[in-house]
Amino acid sequence: MVTAFNSNMKKAAAGLRRINLDGLRWRVFDAKGQILGRLASQIATVVQGKDKPTYAPNRDDGDMCIVLNAKDVCVTGRKLTDKVYYWHTGYVGHLKERTLKDQMAKDPTEVIRKAVLRMLPRNKLRDDRDRKLRIFPASEHPFGDRPLEPYVMPPRNVREMRPRARRAMIRAQKKAEQQQQSAGGKTGKNGEAQEEGA
């Protein structure tokens, strides 16, 4: 297990020499309890440098992104069983598939990597942006000597409920309250009747 961890750390540090690290910030994303798509969209924004006023689409000004706790990322709905990753080996009839649940068990870092890379534009800067993305399944990483900045996820804007749905919810709540009161009233009457009979 220790050798596997060391090999992962070596792989994580590989390719840093190709990146010009001057002036780059090291942003740390904690994926624990985060929803996959929302996290990936924030990472894609930072990797492209769109959060900076100096952003230009032909320059790679994005920051280094370190994603921790990839194994604890969440998805909504039934995506664990319904979302399927496909790839083809090149041989006839060799279309392979793997569900999100199986991919999380095999390599959870690849789930976040694919989500982020598929949000990036397909151009010459894509490989450099991919090198700036470092994903780890747990909270251990080899970049402790760097000036790390934890990234704070923006608050989620929940849309106000539509009037018709709100009215339906209020009706359901009133109905539930009436049922509880009527159920409480019945037991009280039965209790009084039993006392009178006794």
Side-chain angles (χ1 to χ4, degrees), residues 111-179:
V111 171
I112 296 178
R113 182 175 305 284
K114 282 185 176 175
V116 172
L117 285 183
R118 290 172 180 181
M119 291 182 183
L120 296 178
R122 279 79 169 164
N123 56 23
K124 293 180 180 180
L125 302 175
R126 196 170 191 225
D127 291 339
D128 295 335
R129 288 169 175 163
D130 183 24
R131 284 190 199 100
K132 290 182 178 179
L133 179 61
R134 306 291 159 146
I135 307 170
F136 301 96
S139 57
E140 301 163 333
H141 61 90
F143 304 117
D145 56 338
R146 306 283 183 174
L148 303 177
E149 299 177 25
Y151 185 85
V152 179
M153 291 287 286
R156 187 174 163 204
N157 296 326
V158 181
R159 187 179 67 189
E160 196 172 314
M161 192 179 286
R162 293 188 179 127
R164 179 181 277 179
R166 184 186 294 137
R167 287 194 300 267
M169 188 180 74
I170 291 171
R171 279 196 303 269
Q173 287 174 349
K174 285 182 180 178
K175 190 174 181 181
E177 289 173 6
Q178 289 174 353
Q179 287 176 350

Side-chain angles (χ1 to χ4, degrees), residues 10 12 58 65-66 72-73 104 112 142 147 153 156 168 187 192:
K10 287 178 184 174
N58 63 328
C65 293
I66 301 169
D72 298 324
V73 75
M104 288 292 287
I112 296 178
M153 291 287 286
R156 187 174 163 204
T187 56
E192 291 171 6

